[in-house]
Amino acid sequence: MTLKRQHRAPLLGAARPPRCLRRSYTPKAASQLSRFPRTAAHSAKPSSCAPPPPPLLIPAGPAPFWAARRHFVGGHCQGTERVSRGCHGNAACPARPGLASMRGKRAVGPWLVMAGALLVLLGLLGGSQVLKAFDYFYPSRGQQQMYKLDISWPKIPEYFTGQTFCVAVDSLHGLVYVGQRGDNVPKVLVFSEEGYFLYSWNDTVEMPHGIFVLNTATDSSVWITDVGTGKYGHTVKQYSPSGKLLQILGTPGNAGSSLNPIQFDQPAEIFVEESGDMYVVDGDGGMNNRLLKLSTDYKEIWLSGENGTGIGQFKIPHSVTVDPYGRVWVADRDNRRIQVFDKVTGEWLGAWSSCFSEDGPYSVRFTADYKYLIVAQMNINRLAILAAPPVGIIGDCAIVNAIQLADETKPHLVDIDMKSGAIYIAEIGAQQVQKYVPIS
């Protein structure tokens, strides 16, 4: 019988390693190999199951995925395992000259080539899809993941045509509003909570920075802070859900610090209570660094802050939210801290700073149960999940979990669905909004 060899292309980046288990060891092959003399190396140590012979004496060709592969360790048979292709990389083969240094090692050449090819492919793909694919969680030691990415939201991400700066959730009607910037793009996009694009509007919005949805017993409205420098900028505006302009606070196109009439300079964000009282952080890099509380008729109730690092002072107050216990939480971005105030008097209650040594807080929102505070940190692409303090105590912050996003994602502002608990993240680097849902 003539022993025929099938030709097989070598692995890229590496010579064919003379591994003992490169080919399947079958009874048919054994009967053919019985015609060849056994060397001293083969007969030096008997085994309960014969070790495979040298590869050059075995019919070439990869083993099928269903073929049983024997494991030999130290010259003894360790059983069989189903494998899919190539040499399985068992720990050691029966003693053979020149192979001692290869025991317990795998061929790394092919894996290096495959890894390089994967990196090249990712570089070619680029864009937000790669960023989205490589989001991962960063839980504290011993902690389980608290949220997972909803990859089905939105259904068609191509509707994001500009830089997505802000997002707001209308939990009552199941709507999600997204504010984006760019030339010749719709400034406000409206999606369903399932991720379907519904409509957009653009009139009188120049450069949206923050967005907030207010639901009352009789109506709903959308509030937008506009930091543009044109004829619509330096204002806080109220819209109907369909985009009809209802109210303008500030002097459009003119920055200022006056309280009568009210003026803003690049107002960053607004939070409106059901009572109609509103809180505005004014100063996304402008002349003002202050927190204002306004009444339902848009008059000042109290004001806190000026430029500085002391108690009650700010360096770019960037986001604001209110908890059910009468406390106002402000992301003091460039001071790398969160400051807390009494919502009735404006009295300073405390500050958190130890959690923000790497990057300052950009956005603050409470979870639906008010047990945690979600904080976006744009420059390190992270959402920190902080334990909310009990009533009457501010103390210091404690990060209990986190969502680590991909590089250059740049999460800017977030909002929470107060019914489902989902987190929506406006990412100006990836130019998209992503949805994370709680893991039950």
Side-chain angles (χ1 to χ4, degrees):
M1 178 184 297
T2 301
L3 187 63
K4 295 183 180 181
R5 298 188 59 188
Q6 301 175 358
H7 295 285
R8 181 189 181 196
L11 293 171
L12 294 176
R16 290 162 58 99
R19 305 301 297 270
C20 63
L21 299 179
R22 178 173 295 281
R23 305 290 183 264
S24 60
Y25 185 55
T26 62
K28 181 178 179 180
S31 64
Q32 295 178 4
L33 293 169
S34 62
R35 300 186 298 109
F36 296 92
R38 295 176 59 84
T39 63
H42 284 110
S43 57
K45 187 174 182 179
S47 175
S48 59
C49 54
L56 292 177
L57 302 181
I58 300 178
F65 67 87
W66 61 83
R69 190 65 51 83
R70 295 188 182 276
H71 286 221
F72 287 86
V73 180
H76 300 281
C77 179
Q78 302 295 315
T80 62
E81 179 182 349
R82 304 279 179 186
V83 298
S84 59
R85 53 178 295 181
C87 184
H88 194 60
N90 297 309
C93 304
R96 260 196 277 164
L99 293 182
S101 63
M102 294 185 63
R103 292 178 180 175
K105 298 181 179 179
R106 296 177 181 267
V108 298
W111 296 104
L112 292 177
V113 174
M114 292 172 63
L118 178 59
L119 291 175
V120 172
L121 177 60
L122 292 178
L124 292 175
L125 288 175
S128 63
Q129 294 302 317
V130 175
L131 293 176
K132 188 171 184 177
F134 280 84
D135 287 1
Y136 61 96
F137 285 88
Y138 183 74
S140 303
R141 179 171 295 182
Q143 295 288 330
Q144 297 295 321
Q145 296 176 2
M146 295 176 62
Y147 294 88
K148 64 180 179 180
L149 177 65
D150 183 350
I151 60 174
S152 67
W153 202 101
K155 304 299 182 184
I156 304 178
E158 286 74 18
Y159 281 106
F160 299 133
T161 52
Q163 284 188 305
T164 49
F165 268 75
C166 49
V167 60
V169 182
D170 180 351
S171 303
L172 182 62
H173 301 100
L175 300 175
V176 180
Y177 293 83
V178 177
Q180 62 175 6
R181 299 184 196 174
D183 296 331
N184 301 316
V185 301
K187 297 303 193 297
V188 178
L189 309 174
V190 186
F191 295 85
S192 69
E193 62 183 5
E194 295 82 15
Y196 294 100
F197 174 77
L198 301 178
Y199 54 90
S200 64
W201 36 277
N202 197 42
D203 294 341
T204 69
V205 182
E206 189 177 339
M207 293 179 65
H209 187 277
I211 190 169
F212 184 87
V213 175
L214 172 65
N215 287 310
T216 65
T218 59
D219 203 1
S220 297
S221 59
V222 181
W223 291 85
I224 295 177
T225 60
D226 195 331
V227 298
T229 56
K231 62 180 181 179
Y232 300 123
H234 304 296
T235 56
V236 176
K237 289 171 282 197
Q238 181 187 23
Y239 294 88
S240 70
S242 61
K244 180 182 177 181
L245 181 61
L246 303 176
Q247 179 73 32
I248 299 178
L249 304 184
T251 52
N254 296 304
S257 301
S258 171
L259 295 176
N260 188 20
I262 189 75
Q263 285 185 308
F264 304 105
D265 186 3
Q266 301 184 41
E269 196 179 51
I270 183 172
F271 187 97
V272 187
E273 294 189 282
E274 291 184 12
S275 64
D277 291 345
M278 59 185 63
Y279 305 83
V280 181
V281 279
D282 179 25
D284 184 40
M287 69 179 77
N288 301 328
N289 283 274
R290 60 188 185 178
L291 165 66
L292 288 139
K293 180 177 182 180
L294 303 177
S295 63
T296 55
D297 56 356
Y298 315 120
K299 303 297 183 181
E300 175 204 357
I301 297 178
W302 53 258
L303 179 150
S304 179
E306 60 182 2
N307 185 39
T309 60
I311 291 177
Q313 296 178 329
F314 300 105
K315 280 192 175 180
I316 306 186
H318 200 261
S319 180
V320 59
T321 193
V322 180
D323 67 19
Y325 313 115
R327 299 176 294 191
V328 183
W329 300 73
V330 179
D332 188 4
R333 195 187 81 183
D334 282 13
N335 279 329
R336 295 192 176 189
R337 64 186 178 184
I338 292 176
Q339 296 199 69
V340 190
F341 301 85
D342 183 278
K343 82 170 189 177
V344 176
T345 64
E347 177 188 359
W348 185 85
L349 299 178
W352 286 355
S353 59
S354 62
C355 295
F356 309 113
S357 59
E358 296 179 86
D359 190 26
Y362 275 69
S363 183
V364 287
R365 284 292 184 270
F366 281 96
T367 55
D369 56 10
Y370 291 96
K371 290 182 178 179
Y372 304 100
L373 192 66
I374 308 298
V375 180
Q377 295 177 280
M378 189 180 78
N379 295 309
I380 59 174
N381 306 294
R382 185 175 75 174
L383 258 63
I385 304 174
L386 280 58
V391 180
I393 299 175
I394 300 300
D396 206 350
C397 56
I399 297 178
V400 298
N401 213 284
I403 301 173
Q404 183 65 53
L405 305 174
D407 290 346
E408 301 304 319
T409 298
K410 296 189 180 302
H412 186 246
L413 293 175
V414 306
D415 203 17
I416 309 295
D417 186 333
M418 301 306 281
K419 282 189 175 180
S420 68
I423 304 173
Y424 292 84
I425 312 166
E427 302 167 351
I428 61 177
Q431 297 189 17
Q432 64 183 1
V433 170
Q434 294 196 97
K435 177 182 179 181
Y436 282 81
V437 295
I439 298 176
S440 56

